[in-house]
Amino acid sequence: MIISATFSKPVKNIQEILGRPYLRIKIKAANTSNKTSYFVESFTEKQAFHEQKNEQELDEFIKDHAGKTFKNCIIRTESEEITYLANKKGEITVLTKKLKTQTVSSPLTSLTKKKQYLLQEGTPVPFLVLLGVMTPDGKVINSKYDKFRQINRYLEFINDIIPEVMSSVKDRPLRIVDFGCGKSYLTFAAHYFLTQIKKIPVEITGLDLKQEVIDYCNKIGKELNCSGLTFATGNIADYNHKTNPDIVITLHACDTATDFALEYAIKHDCKAILCVPCCQHELNQQLNRNSQGLKEKENAFAPLLKYGLIKERFAALATDALRGEYLESQGYNVQMLEFIDMEHTPKNILIRAVKTGAAKEKSSKEAEQLTTALGLKPTLKRLL
């Protein structure tokens, strides 16, 4: 049985073949019933599309596109990992690696012995059941274990900042805004954890650009009877609310959308920020324009600009490092933390910032030195 499949490195005419310019496609088994179905998530540069496939449809998709439409394809079964690789001539190599059956078929048993999660397997959690992560008796579905683990990791970040945030919240609900909430697995998780486990009254607003996503979230919220949880359609840059939030969350807001969320949090005296940046294109594009001039000068960063892949990663790290510096200069204590394992996604840095009120002048100077040396003009600097 196929557990997962990942397609990447598309051919140039991908849009002609599949109708959209997909960059990668991730497929996972959606349930453990006798009739297996698969959840398909297809990514373009700025969007993600979802659909279901049955086993026959998945087999046909692999046959038609593995190593052909996508030059890289990794398929995992219960016993092996199969990799399709295509070279420039279109020749396909298939590599097979045997896996330890125990590790693949029983990830829950091996991992849950090592760690006690805030949401524990065996205890049914309504939103996890409704969203297909748990069975009604509280068993985590094997193909959803990564999501279960991610949700718990996220709740740990929230749990750590609650004492500091609640010290300034008196006689009212805790206010949270989730910018770019998407399908809101983590928004529902925060609501459940805070209201049902921590017994803290909350007002949580989820904001997203896609109306169909917001309609879906509001529907789930009504089914779960989530008091104090609302969803709205809107742009982060234009968002305005009559009351300031205590916590701002922004997970995988694309490129400078993250900067607008951070600006909102800073200017509305937000007590804590949880931010997982995504698609840091802005500084990479600026480095592209500046790189030739920087290489011609005696510049300590020149080796980091020589190779495209290194430059892209350097730009992403520089973007988040500067965000950390700007937050510290505005009176926040900042930590850079690992959200989930690197094996799942390279976009795993979480910026956690808690307001202390003690602005660090040194951070502002260090940010200025880096931006001057590289000729950068970050959006967050301009917004602040």
Side-chain angles (χ1 to χ4, degrees), residues 7-246:
F7 297 79
S8 60
K9 293 192 176 180
V11 296
K12 292 182 178 180
N13 61 333
I14 179 73
Q15 185 162 356
E16 297 175 17
I17 299 171
L18 293 179
R20 290 192 179 98
Y22 293 125
L23 299 178
R24 67 187 184 282
I25 295 177
K26 297 172 68 175
I27 301 173
K28 285 191 176 184
N31 59 54
T32 56
S33 65
N34 291 330
K35 188 177 180 181
T36 304
S37 63
Y38 292 88
F39 175 72
V40 182
E41 195 167 18
S42 304
F43 300 88
T44 62
E45 185 175 352
K46 295 184 178 180
Q47 290 180 290
F49 299 88
H50 304 109
E51 62 176 317
Q52 297 283 126
K53 288 186 183 295
N54 58 35
E55 286 185 279
Q56 182 179 346
E57 289 170 335
L58 176 59
D59 289 341
E60 291 175 355
F61 189 85
I62 291 171
K63 180 181 178 181
D64 293 340
H65 302 292
K68 300 173 185 176
T69 311
F70 293 89
K71 296 179 182 179
N72 278 14
C73 175
I74 300 175
I75 299 169
R76 289 177 67 92
T77 70
E78 294 173 328
S79 59
E80 60 187 9
E81 181 177 277
I82 306 164
T83 302
Y84 291 78
L85 298 171
N87 61 22
K88 293 181 179 180
K89 296 180 180 180
E91 299 168 340
I92 300 173
T93 301
V94 181
L95 306 174
T96 302
K97 180 175 72 175
K98 295 294 182 182
L99 300 174
K100 293 181 181 180
T101 305
Q102 182 179 3
T103 302
V104 177
S105 60
S106 304
L108 303 177
T109 303
S110 60
L111 289 173
T112 51
K113 285 182 180 178
K114 298 179 183 178
K115 186 174 182 65
Q116 283 293 103
Y117 290 115
L118 293 173
L119 302 181
Q120 296 184 24
E121 186 184 10
T123 302
V125 179
F127 85 91
L128 290 178
V129 173
L130 187 59
L131 295 175
V133 177
M134 271 185 174
T135 62
D137 61 354
K139 177 177 173 57
V140 177
I141 295 171
N142 280 5
S143 63
K144 293 292 185 179
Y145 186 75
D146 285 346
K147 178 63 70 174
F148 176 73
R149 190 180 175 199
Q150 180 195 51
I151 288 170
N152 273 284
R153 180 67 171 147
Y154 168 73
L155 293 179
E156 289 172 7
F157 291 127
I158 292 180
N159 194 41
D160 289 344
I161 62 175
I162 286 299
E164 293 172 90
V165 175
M166 292 304 295
S167 64
S168 61
V169 177
K170 296 179 181 179
D171 303 320
R172 64 169 176 81
L174 175 67
R175 300 176 185 137
I176 300 175
V177 175
D178 187 349
F179 288 120
C181 61
K183 287 196 172 182
S184 300
Y185 280 81
L186 301 181
T187 318
F188 285 113
H191 183 272
Y192 177 86
F193 174 69
L194 292 169
T195 60
Q196 302 303 310
I197 297 178
K198 302 293 286 187
K199 305 300 180 183
I200 297 173
V202 298
E203 292 177 358
I204 302 178
T205 301
L207 190 75
D208 200 273
L209 287 171
K210 301 174 184 175
Q211 184 62 54
E212 66 272 19
V213 169
I214 294 302
D215 292 341
Y216 168 83
C217 293
N218 278 319
K219 176 177 176 292
I220 297 297
K222 288 180 181 178
E223 290 183 35
L224 293 170
N225 194 27
C226 294
S227 176
L229 177 60
T230 58
F231 297 93
T233 306
N235 190 311
I236 296 173
D238 301 325
Y239 180 75
N240 194 15
H241 197 268
K242 60 183 178 181
T243 56
N244 290 344
D246 302 299

Side-chain angles (χ1 to χ4, degrees), residues 304 306-315:
L304 294 170
K306 185 177 180 180
Y307 307 101
L309 178 62
I310 299 298
K311 179 174 63 63
E312 182 180 351
R313 293 184 181 179
F314 171 61

